Amino acid sequence: MRKGRYRNQIEILQGTLDLIILQTLQWGPQHGYGITLAIRANSGETLQVDTGSLYPALHRLERQKWVAAEWKVSENKQRARVYRLTASGRKQLAAERSRWERLQEAIAGILNPVGKETRT
Amino acid sequence: MRFPLRRRRDEDLEDEIRSHLEMATRDRQERGEAAGAAEQAARREFGNIALVKEVTRGMWGGTRLCHLGQDLRYGIRMLRRSPGFTAVAVLSLAIGIGANTAIFSVVHSVLLEPLPYNEPDRLVRIIQNLPATVTIDARPRRVAAMDLNELLDLRRRTQTFSHVATYDSSSEMTLMGREEPIRVVGTAVSPSLFPALGRQPFLGRVFREDEAKPGSPQTIILSHATWRNYFASDPMILNRTLSLNGRSHAVIGVMPQGFEFPDRQTECWVPVVLSPLAQGEIRSLYPIGRLKDGIALVTAAAEVDAILRGIRESAPDRAERVFVPLDVEVVIIQDELVAPVRTALFVLLGAVGFVLLIACSNVANLLLARSTSRQAEIAVRVALGASRGRLIRQSLTESCLLAILGGVGGTVLAFAGVRFLRTLGPVDLPRLDEIGIDLTVLVFTLVLSALTALLFGVVPALHVSRVNQTEVIKSGGSAKGSARKNTRSLIVIAEIAMAVVLLTGGGLLIRSFLKLSNVNPGFDAKNVLTFQIALPAPVNLSALNENLTEEFRARVQSLPRVRAVAFTNALPLVPRSSFGMPRVRGTPIPIEGAPDVRSVSRNYIATMGLRLTEGHDFGENNRAGQPASAIISRAMVRYFGGETPIGKTITLGNREAGIIGIVDDIHERGLDMEPRPQVYVDSRQGFGRETAAFALNWAYFVIRTEGDPASIISEVRGIVRQMIPGATLRLRVASMEQIVSNSVARPRFYAVLLGLFAVVAVLLATVGVYGITMYSVTQRTREIGIRVAVGARPWQVLALVLSHSVILTLTGVLIGLGGAVALTRYLEGMLFGLTSLDPATFLLVSIGFASITILASCIPARRAIKVDPLIALRHE
């Protein structure tokens, strides 16, 4: 069932999805549609985040007060709900980043057991 | 109810998603796609909007409550959409739950609630078990009374009891202290009784030791109800003097409300006065003991056993008396009090449990049938993203709604049911007055409703969630669901089996009661009026004489419609202890074989219709001064060692009487008990205190009438008042027939109740079979149409439809019979004239039930025959 797919994606990506969204918002407030475009562009067309994962993630981040949202009207008279990073959100972003880097190191250590010169 | 905040969030989310889609669409349009295509592509890329909304909403928290609210609203809507189904389901549940609540309230008040005494589990009775070899009816008997001398010795020597108190059998007494004399039931108790029970009086004090000595001023303690009803809660009641049976008693106390001893009928207490016993006279009283802390029942029993043995071994007249083997038991009062009804109450509880199970099975089947027709709707919900857990939750919510409705209806039914039980219940049911619905019972109802919801809701819920959506949507919602069909069949078989068990039990009890009712009591109870006379206070015995008694008899006899007037000192089937201890010359009679001695008028035997088989009745010559004569009943003949008793003598107290006749036995104690031997003496010959001269004071008059005995009551009352100003009639029951009927009130009670439950169970089970057959016919309309179209005959269609229900019925009946064989043993003690495996009853039940259910399934079967193949084939 399709629902199962969503569930799994959320579980696997939950930590990284939060990181990606927070990072994207660091460059400025953005609405949901814009965030999907930004993520697609910045990952070189590799990552396409399902709306079924994005919106739940956004609302979850909002509930935890790492992002704040309000309705704004864009240039083309388009009304959209725009998310921005909060102060605690910035702290969370830093924490997620260092967690990600530690994860990277750990995996690199497993993939390249001989010598540490291959660190990026 | 959706809270405003929640609604706004929902709207916001909708807007957000819509704006996302608009932006995506516009981007596509700018890239060159056509308007319509762009929108579709944007939607497709977005994905399942409803699902996204659902999952996002899940992130908000607080969804549990919201889901519950949704489920409730959905459930209510579903129930209102099919009112017929809802009505049947709720009614079945209400009957099941209501019956259980009513019976549980009886069990709770009678068996579970402790007696109104201090630490009632320390209060015990001392029981002697008599084996079948020494009892008169060859059945083991439990004797609660003890010989007075032994009791006094026990009290002196015991180490295990902190109190040993005694009391005598209750008897009716005439109480005067108001304008009119009233008859009350009073009990004589030892002064240590109230301290033993541990309850303080509401007013005044309890008896003192010196008040129990012969010759000391007499005192009386009233019950709260008596004080309230007869003395208008007079605050100055203490030290008022009342007259009880002609003797003055000073009121020294009033017991608190709700206090009863030994049963709810006792309205006052007097001290037991232990006057010295005459030669050979035996007096027995009932002991009640309070165990010391930490003493076990068996320890106390062993001590009593040892003490009694010691007494009997060293008795001075040991050679003359016959002592029965000792088997002493010490039992908690409450256990002994409710022992006669405990089994029966549990049987009733089991029976209503079955009724509830059958009702739940019916509702479960109804739900299963409905879920099959809702498959399409459920499949769509699943496609929209409902999880299995959500579906199960929603289904259970619906079940809970039904259970709540059923529980409310059941509580209402239970109130009516309890009232019905209290009026129908036999007067001697222990603690009958205390039966009512209180908090504990209501909590029980609540828990029961919840359990029933689970019981009938789980299986349909599981089935509902097991839908394969694509298959269902493809076939247009008409998938057969064979797993469902098997479950429904199993449920119906279970219903039938349980109904058969109940029907068998009910049938056994009913047949047993009918047999009991048909027992010939030994006398002619038709058209006999019985009453006693209450003389005005103070009773002037010197004004009474034999001529007065004769005049009264003559005047009543002269009334039209009166055929005969007689009297006796005790009526059959009305409990009354006998006096004296007759001895056949040279042959001691064992205590249990002790006959009742009846002081009767000359024509009593003829009036009551007793059959004189040998010798002759009392004649004119039997009066004071003449040699005393006695008539004995057949059961006494055995004490004469094979010789004819006529002409022999029998010793009553200190006088001898010659036996002049033998009558057939009567069922003196109960229709189901062996007759007790009787000795009839002419009241004119003055045995004991009950002589013809004072008959107006002590006698039960029996008047044989033509037509309704109650019709002469007012005339008799007039005669009484004329002869003795201020006297009234005391009618306990109006006629002998009522007395006989009351004596079988308890078996009647059980038979009616269990019969009622059986009928309800059969109805429910029949509805279940009908339902499943009707449903099967509706489902198979198309198939039947095809068969008819290719030439099937009506009987073949009938066979097709009926075969399934016949198989179900037969299987269910067989299993039910097996269950009945296993379970009816619990009815053993309640049956008369039948065994618990009575073949006739089993046969009747199986044939009867099978016929009913097969008949019930004929109705849908007839419908099947009438199926028009053209219409059926177009049914799709």
Side-chain angles (χ1 to χ4, degrees), chain B residues 415-443:
Chain B
F415 272 105
V418 166
R419 187 141 9 123
F420 169 71
L421 282 176
R422 284 177 64 160
T423 47
L424 174 71
V427 181
D428 61 341
L429 192 75
R431 310 178 75 181
L432 179 69
D433 255 359
E434 303 177 35
I435 296 175
I437 297 187
D438 60 3
L439 194 61
T440 316
V441 175
L442 284 175
V443 168

PDB file of all heavy atoms in Angstrom, chain B residues 415-443:
ATOM      1  N   PHE B 415     -34.685  -2.587  36.664  1.00  0.00           N
ATOM      2  CA  PHE B 415     -35.485  -2.031  37.762  1.00  0.00           C
ATOM      3  C   PHE B 415     -36.844  -2.710  37.818  1.00  0.00           C
ATOM      4  O   PHE B 415     -37.317  -3.121  38.871  1.00  0.00           O
ATOM      5  CB  PHE B 415     -35.674  -0.521  37.572  1.00  0.00           C
ATOM      6  CG  PHE B 415     -34.567   0.289  38.179  1.00  0.00           C
ATOM      7  CD1 PHE B 415     -33.600   0.872  37.378  1.00  0.00           C
ATOM      8  CD2 PHE B 415     -34.479   0.450  39.539  1.00  0.00           C
ATOM      9  CE1 PHE B 415     -32.575   1.603  37.929  1.00  0.00           C
ATOM     10  CE2 PHE B 415     -33.455   1.184  40.103  1.00  0.00           C
ATOM     11  CZ  PHE B 415     -32.498   1.762  39.298  1.00  0.00           C
ATOM     12  N   ALA B 416     -37.468  -2.814  36.645  1.00  0.00           N
ATOM     13  CA  ALA B 416     -38.760  -3.493  36.605  1.00  0.00           C
ATOM     14  C   ALA B 416     -38.597  -4.945  37.018  1.00  0.00           C
ATOM     15  O   ALA B 416     -39.415  -5.494  37.753  1.00  0.00           O
ATOM     16  CB  ALA B 416     -39.353  -3.395  35.199  1.00  0.00           C
ATOM     17  N   GLY B 417     -37.521  -5.569  36.544  1.00  0.00           N
ATOM     18  CA  GLY B 417     -37.302  -6.976  36.836  1.00  0.00           C
ATOM     19  C   GLY B 417     -37.117  -7.236  38.316  1.00  0.00           C
ATOM     20  O   GLY B 417     -37.661  -8.192  38.865  1.00  0.00           O
ATOM     21  N   VAL B 418     -36.367  -6.358  38.996  1.00  0.00           N
ATOM     22  CA  VAL B 418     -36.135  -6.562  40.424  1.00  0.00           C
ATOM     23  C   VAL B 418     -37.445  -6.430  41.179  1.00  0.00           C
ATOM     24  O   VAL B 418     -37.736  -7.200  42.099  1.00  0.00           O
ATOM     25  CB  VAL B 418     -35.095  -5.563  40.954  1.00  0.00           C
ATOM     26  CG1 VAL B 418     -35.108  -5.529  42.465  1.00  0.00           C
ATOM     27  CG2 VAL B 418     -33.722  -5.945  40.477  1.00  0.00           C
ATOM     28  N   ARG B 419     -38.254  -5.470  40.762  1.00  0.00           N
ATOM     29  CA  ARG B 419     -39.545  -5.315  41.445  1.00  0.00           C
ATOM     30  C   ARG B 419     -40.378  -6.584  41.256  1.00  0.00           C
ATOM     31  O   ARG B 419     -41.019  -7.082  42.178  1.00  0.00           O
ATOM     32  CB  ARG B 419     -40.271  -4.105  40.873  1.00  0.00           C
ATOM     33  CG  ARG B 419     -41.495  -3.806  41.649  1.00  0.00           C
ATOM     34  CD  ARG B 419     -41.842  -2.345  41.894  1.00  0.00           C
ATOM     35  NE  ARG B 419     -41.095  -1.344  41.222  1.00  0.00           N
ATOM     36  CZ  ARG B 419     -41.653  -0.428  40.436  1.00  0.00           C
ATOM     37  NH1 ARG B 419     -42.934  -0.468  40.214  1.00  0.00           N
ATOM     38  NH2 ARG B 419     -40.918   0.501  39.888  1.00  0.00           N
ATOM     39  N   PHE B 420     -40.358  -7.114  40.035  1.00  0.00           N
ATOM     40  CA  PHE B 420     -41.082  -8.336  39.735  1.00  0.00           C
ATOM     41  C   PHE B 420     -40.572  -9.485  40.586  1.00  0.00           C
ATOM     42  O   PHE B 420     -41.345 -10.261  41.143  1.00  0.00           O
ATOM     43  CB  PHE B 420     -40.906  -8.631  38.241  1.00  0.00           C
ATOM     44  CG  PHE B 420     -41.362  -9.990  37.820  1.00  0.00           C
ATOM     45  CD1 PHE B 420     -42.697 -10.304  37.776  1.00  0.00           C
ATOM     46  CD2 PHE B 420     -40.445 -10.960  37.448  1.00  0.00           C
ATOM     47  CE1 PHE B 420     -43.120 -11.551  37.377  1.00  0.00           C
ATOM     48  CE2 PHE B 420     -40.857 -12.213  37.046  1.00  0.00           C
ATOM     49  CZ  PHE B 420     -42.195 -12.505  37.007  1.00  0.00           C
ATOM     50  N   LEU B 421     -39.244  -9.574  40.730  1.00  0.00           N
ATOM     51  CA  LEU B 421     -38.670 -10.657  41.512  1.00  0.00           C
ATOM     52  C   LEU B 421     -39.089 -10.566  42.962  1.00  0.00           C
ATOM     53  O   LEU B 421     -39.351 -11.568  43.611  1.00  0.00           O
ATOM     54  CB  LEU B 421     -37.137 -10.608  41.439  1.00  0.00           C
ATOM     55  CG  LEU B 421     -36.499 -11.144  40.160  1.00  0.00           C
ATOM     56  CD1 LEU B 421     -35.001 -10.930  40.209  1.00  0.00           C
ATOM     57  CD2 LEU B 421     -36.807 -12.610  40.001  1.00  0.00           C
ATOM     58  N   ARG B 422     -39.136  -9.359  43.483  1.00  0.00           N
ATOM     59  CA  ARG B 422     -39.473  -9.240  44.898  1.00  0.00           C
ATOM     60  C   ARG B 422     -40.913  -9.630  45.163  1.00  0.00           C
ATOM     61  O   ARG B 422     -41.237 -10.144  46.215  1.00  0.00           O
ATOM     62  CB  ARG B 422     -39.217  -7.807  45.378  1.00  0.00           C
ATOM     63  CG  ARG B 422     -37.742  -7.533  45.572  1.00  0.00           C
ATOM     64  CD  ARG B 422     -37.502  -6.126  45.962  1.00  0.00           C
ATOM     65  NE  ARG B 422     -38.109  -5.845  47.252  1.00  0.00           N
ATOM     66  CZ  ARG B 422     -37.744  -4.839  48.014  1.00  0.00           C
ATOM     67  NH1 ARG B 422     -36.781  -4.042  47.613  1.00  0.00           N
ATOM     68  NH2 ARG B 422     -38.335  -4.606  49.153  1.00  0.00           N
ATOM     69  N   THR B 423     -41.800  -9.347  44.216  1.00  0.00           N
ATOM     70  CA  THR B 423     -43.182  -9.754  44.452  1.00  0.00           C
ATOM     71  C   THR B 423     -43.372 -11.238  44.193  1.00  0.00           C
ATOM     72  O   THR B 423     -44.111 -11.913  44.892  1.00  0.00           O
ATOM     73  CB  THR B 423     -44.146  -8.965  43.545  1.00  0.00           C
ATOM     74  OG1 THR B 423     -43.620  -8.970  42.223  1.00  0.00           O
ATOM     75  CG2 THR B 423     -44.329  -7.557  44.029  1.00  0.00           C
ATOM     76  N   LEU B 424     -42.685 -11.759  43.169  1.00  0.00           N
ATOM     77  CA  LEU B 424     -42.862 -13.167  42.855  1.00  0.00           C
ATOM     78  C   LEU B 424     -42.119 -14.050  43.839  1.00  0.00           C
ATOM     79  O   LEU B 424     -42.502 -15.178  44.089  1.00  0.00           O
ATOM     80  CB  LEU B 424     -42.344 -13.428  41.429  1.00  0.00           C
ATOM     81  CG  LEU B 424     -42.330 -14.877  40.976  1.00  0.00           C
ATOM     82  CD1 LEU B 424     -43.732 -15.364  40.744  1.00  0.00           C
ATOM     83  CD2 LEU B 424     -41.525 -15.017  39.707  1.00  0.00           C
ATOM     84  N   GLY B 425     -41.030 -13.521  44.402  1.00  0.00           N
ATOM     85  CA  GLY B 425     -40.147 -14.343  45.203  1.00  0.00           C
ATOM     86  C   GLY B 425     -40.846 -14.957  46.395  1.00  0.00           C
ATOM     87  O   GLY B 425     -41.693 -14.331  47.023  1.00  0.00           O
ATOM     88  N   PRO B 426     -40.504 -16.186  46.737  1.00  0.00           N
ATOM     89  CA  PRO B 426     -41.131 -16.844  47.875  1.00  0.00           C
ATOM     90  C   PRO B 426     -40.843 -16.076  49.160  1.00  0.00           C
ATOM     91  O   PRO B 426     -39.776 -15.513  49.316  1.00  0.00           O
ATOM     92  CB  PRO B 426     -40.489 -18.224  47.898  1.00  0.00           C
ATOM     93  CG  PRO B 426     -39.270 -18.102  47.088  1.00  0.00           C
ATOM     94  CD  PRO B 426     -39.497 -17.022  46.097  1.00  0.00           C
ATOM     95  N   VAL B 427     -41.801 -16.072  50.062  1.00  0.00           N
ATOM     96  CA  VAL B 427     -41.685 -15.247  51.263  1.00  0.00           C
ATOM     97  C   VAL B 427     -40.480 -15.646  52.093  1.00  0.00           C
ATOM     98  O   VAL B 427     -39.897 -14.832  52.793  1.00  0.00           O
ATOM     99  CB  VAL B 427     -42.955 -15.381  52.113  1.00  0.00           C
ATOM    100  CG1 VAL B 427     -42.864 -14.528  53.350  1.00  0.00           C
ATOM    101  CG2 VAL B 427     -44.153 -14.971  51.282  1.00  0.00           C
ATOM    102  N   ASP B 428     -40.101 -16.934  52.005  1.00  0.00           N
ATOM    103  CA  ASP B 428     -39.024 -17.372  52.879  1.00  0.00           C
ATOM    104  C   ASP B 428     -37.660 -17.286  52.209  1.00  0.00           C
ATOM    105  O   ASP B 428     -36.690 -17.807  52.723  1.00  0.00           O
ATOM    106  CB  ASP B 428     -39.278 -18.807  53.346  1.00  0.00           C
ATOM    107  CG  ASP B 428     -39.331 -19.767  52.172  1.00  0.00           C
ATOM    108  OD1 ASP B 428     -39.538 -19.295  51.036  1.00  0.00           O
ATOM    109  OD2 ASP B 428     -39.179 -20.967  52.395  1.00  0.00           O
ATOM    110  N   LEU B 429     -37.568 -16.610  51.073  1.00  0.00           N
ATOM    111  CA  LEU B 429     -36.245 -16.414  50.472  1.00  0.00           C
ATOM    112  C   LEU B 429     -35.431 -15.547  51.414  1.00  0.00           C
ATOM    113  O   LEU B 429     -35.856 -14.458  51.777  1.00  0.00           O
ATOM    114  CB  LEU B 429     -36.398 -15.719  49.121  1.00  0.00           C
ATOM    115  CG  LEU B 429     -35.144 -15.694  48.248  1.00  0.00           C
ATOM    116  CD1 LEU B 429     -34.920 -17.064  47.651  1.00  0.00           C
ATOM    117  CD2 LEU B 429     -35.289 -14.671  47.147  1.00  0.00           C
ATOM    118  N   PRO B 430     -34.271 -16.039  51.825  1.00  0.00           N
ATOM    119  CA  PRO B 430     -33.520 -15.249  52.815  1.00  0.00           C
ATOM    120  C   PRO B 430     -33.191 -13.863  52.285  1.00  0.00           C
ATOM    121  O   PRO B 430     -32.822 -13.706  51.124  1.00  0.00           O
ATOM    122  CB  PRO B 430     -32.227 -16.064  53.018  1.00  0.00           C
ATOM    123  CG  PRO B 430     -32.404 -17.327  52.327  1.00  0.00           C
ATOM    124  CD  PRO B 430     -33.603 -17.272  51.456  1.00  0.00           C
ATOM    125  N   ARG B 431     -33.372 -12.868  53.149  1.00  0.00           N
ATOM    126  CA  ARG B 431     -32.979 -11.493  52.846  1.00  0.00           C
ATOM    127  C   ARG B 431     -33.723 -10.938  51.631  1.00  0.00           C
ATOM    128  O   ARG B 431     -33.200 -10.114  50.903  1.00  0.00           O
ATOM    129  CB  ARG B 431     -31.474 -11.403  52.629  1.00  0.00           C
ATOM    130  CG  ARG B 431     -30.696 -12.071  53.746  1.00  0.00           C
ATOM    131  CD  ARG B 431     -29.216 -12.030  53.517  1.00  0.00           C
ATOM    132  NE  ARG B 431     -28.688 -10.707  53.761  1.00  0.00           N
ATOM    133  CZ  ARG B 431     -27.403 -10.413  53.616  1.00  0.00           C
ATOM    134  NH1 ARG B 431     -26.562 -11.318  53.231  1.00  0.00           N
ATOM    135  NH2 ARG B 431     -26.981  -9.198  53.850  1.00  0.00           N
ATOM    136  N   LEU B 432     -34.937 -11.385  51.438  1.00  0.00           N
ATOM    137  CA  LEU B 432     -35.696 -10.938  50.271  1.00  0.00           C
ATOM    138  C   LEU B 432     -35.848  -9.431  50.265  1.00  0.00           C
ATOM    139  O   LEU B 432     -35.770  -8.787  49.227  1.00  0.00           O
ATOM    140  CB  LEU B 432     -37.081 -11.598  50.290  1.00  0.00           C
ATOM    141  CG  LEU B 432     -38.013 -11.218  49.147  1.00  0.00           C
ATOM    142  CD1 LEU B 432     -37.503 -11.779  47.856  1.00  0.00           C
ATOM    143  CD2 LEU B 432     -39.403 -11.757  49.421  1.00  0.00           C
ATOM    144  N   ASP B 433     -36.046  -8.860  51.456  1.00  0.00           N
ATOM    145  CA  ASP B 433     -36.284  -7.421  51.552  1.00  0.00           C
ATOM    146  C   ASP B 433     -35.101  -6.586  51.093  1.00  0.00           C
ATOM    147  O   ASP B 433     -35.252  -5.444  50.709  1.00  0.00           O
ATOM    148  CB  ASP B 433     -36.562  -7.053  53.008  1.00  0.00           C
ATOM    149  CG  ASP B 433     -38.027  -6.777  53.218  1.00  0.00           C
ATOM    150  OD1 ASP B 433     -38.766  -6.855  52.218  1.00  0.00           O
ATOM    151  OD2 ASP B 433     -38.404  -6.489  54.347  1.00  0.00           O
ATOM    152  N   GLU B 434     -33.910  -7.159  51.201  1.00  0.00           N
ATOM    153  CA  GLU B 434     -32.745  -6.325  50.940  1.00  0.00           C
ATOM    154  C   GLU B 434     -32.410  -6.238  49.462  1.00  0.00           C
ATOM    155  O   GLU B 434     -31.486  -5.548  49.071  1.00  0.00           O
ATOM    156  CB  GLU B 434     -31.534  -6.901  51.673  1.00  0.00           C
ATOM    157  CG  GLU B 434     -31.762  -7.025  53.165  1.00  0.00           C
ATOM    158  CD  GLU B 434     -30.573  -7.671  53.852  1.00  0.00           C
ATOM    159  OE1 GLU B 434     -29.445  -7.410  53.408  1.00  0.00           O
ATOM    160  OE2 GLU B 434     -30.774  -8.436  54.799  1.00  0.00           O
ATOM    161  N   ILE B 435     -33.162  -6.957  48.629  1.00  0.00           N
ATOM    162  CA  ILE B 435     -32.814  -6.984  47.221  1.00  0.00           C
ATOM    163  C   ILE B 435     -33.144  -5.652  46.575  1.00  0.00           C
ATOM    164  O   ILE B 435     -34.243  -5.146  46.685  1.00  0.00           O
ATOM    165  CB  ILE B 435     -33.580  -8.103  46.504  1.00  0.00           C
ATOM    166  CG1 ILE B 435     -33.143  -9.446  47.069  1.00  0.00           C
ATOM    167  CG2 ILE B 435     -33.335  -8.063  45.015  1.00  0.00           C
ATOM    168  CD1 ILE B 435     -33.921 -10.593  46.501  1.00  0.00           C
ATOM    169  N   GLY B 436     -32.191  -5.078  45.928  1.00  0.00           N
ATOM    170  CA  GLY B 436     -32.426  -3.816  45.249  1.00  0.00           C
ATOM    171  C   GLY B 436     -31.221  -3.478  44.397  1.00  0.00           C
ATOM    172  O   GLY B 436     -30.188  -4.128  44.480  1.00  0.00           O
ATOM    173  N   ILE B 437     -31.350  -2.452  43.577  1.00  0.00           N
ATOM    174  CA  ILE B 437     -30.255  -2.058  42.698  1.00  0.00           C
ATOM    175  C   ILE B 437     -29.475  -0.946  43.372  1.00  0.00           C
ATOM    176  O   ILE B 437     -29.989   0.142  43.582  1.00  0.00           O
ATOM    177  CB  ILE B 437     -30.790  -1.601  41.335  1.00  0.00           C
ATOM    178  CG1 ILE B 437     -31.496  -2.765  40.668  1.00  0.00           C
ATOM    179  CG2 ILE B 437     -29.661  -1.101  40.471  1.00  0.00           C
ATOM    180  CD1 ILE B 437     -31.910  -2.497  39.267  1.00  0.00           C
ATOM    181  N   ASP B 438     -28.241  -1.221  43.739  1.00  0.00           N
ATOM    182  CA  ASP B 438     -27.434  -0.165  44.352  1.00  0.00           C
ATOM    183  C   ASP B 438     -26.205   0.089  43.484  1.00  0.00           C
ATOM    184  O   ASP B 438     -26.096  -0.414  42.372  1.00  0.00           O
ATOM    185  CB  ASP B 438     -27.050  -0.549  45.785  1.00  0.00           C
ATOM    186  CG  ASP B 438     -26.250  -1.832  45.809  1.00  0.00           C
ATOM    187  OD1 ASP B 438     -25.957  -2.374  44.720  1.00  0.00           O
ATOM    188  OD2 ASP B 438     -25.916  -2.295  46.901  1.00  0.00           O
ATOM    189  N   LEU B 439     -25.265   0.841  44.048  1.00  0.00           N
ATOM    190  CA  LEU B 439     -24.134   1.293  43.248  1.00  0.00           C
ATOM    191  C   LEU B 439     -23.335   0.123  42.682  1.00  0.00           C
ATOM    192  O   LEU B 439     -22.956   0.113  41.512  1.00  0.00           O
ATOM    193  CB  LEU B 439     -23.227   2.177  44.121  1.00  0.00           C
ATOM    194  CG  LEU B 439     -22.193   2.982  43.337  1.00  0.00           C
ATOM    195  CD1 LEU B 439     -22.896   3.908  42.383  1.00  0.00           C
ATOM    196  CD2 LEU B 439     -21.305   3.758  44.283  1.00  0.00           C
ATOM    197  N   THR B 440     -23.098  -0.879  43.542  1.00  0.00           N
ATOM    198  CA  THR B 440     -22.317  -2.021  43.084  1.00  0.00           C
ATOM    199  C   THR B 440     -22.965  -2.654  41.860  1.00  0.00           C
ATOM    200  O   THR B 440     -22.289  -2.997  40.884  1.00  0.00           O
ATOM    201  CB  THR B 440     -22.236  -3.095  44.185  1.00  0.00           C
ATOM    202  OG1 THR B 440     -21.976  -2.463  45.415  1.00  0.00           O
ATOM    203  CG2 THR B 440     -21.154  -4.096  43.870  1.00  0.00           C
ATOM    204  N   VAL B 441     -24.273  -2.792  41.895  1.00  0.00           N
ATOM    205  CA  VAL B 441     -24.971  -3.429  40.783  1.00  0.00           C
ATOM    206  C   VAL B 441     -24.857  -2.575  39.528  1.00  0.00           C
ATOM    207  O   VAL B 441     -24.664  -3.087  38.417  1.00  0.00           O
ATOM    208  CB  VAL B 441     -26.452  -3.656  41.140  1.00  0.00           C
ATOM    209  CG1 VAL B 441     -27.208  -4.196  39.964  1.00  0.00           C
ATOM    210  CG2 VAL B 441     -26.561  -4.613  42.312  1.00  0.00           C
ATOM    211  N   LEU B 442     -24.936  -1.257  39.685  1.00  0.00           N
ATOM    212  CA  LEU B 442     -24.823  -0.380  38.512  1.00  0.00           C
ATOM    213  C   LEU B 442     -23.436  -0.475  37.900  1.00  0.00           C
ATOM    214  O   LEU B 442     -23.288  -0.493  36.673  1.00  0.00           O
ATOM    215  CB  LEU B 442     -25.126   1.068  38.915  1.00  0.00           C
ATOM    216  CG  LEU B 442     -26.611   1.364  39.138  1.00  0.00           C
ATOM    217  CD1 LEU B 442     -26.805   2.772  39.638  1.00  0.00           C
ATOM    218  CD2 LEU B 442     -27.394   1.148  37.859  1.00  0.00           C
ATOM    219  N   VAL B 443     -22.423  -0.527  38.762  1.00  0.00           N
ATOM    220  CA  VAL B 443     -21.072  -0.691  38.242  1.00  0.00           C
ATOM    221  C   VAL B 443     -20.962  -2.003  37.478  1.00  0.00           C
ATOM    222  O   VAL B 443     -20.364  -2.073  36.401  1.00  0.00           O
ATOM    223  CB  VAL B 443     -20.038  -0.649  39.401  1.00  0.00           C
ATOM    224  CG1 VAL B 443     -18.680  -1.108  38.925  1.00  0.00           C
ATOM    225  CG2 VAL B 443     -19.953   0.746  39.972  1.00  0.00           C
TER     226      VAL B 443
END
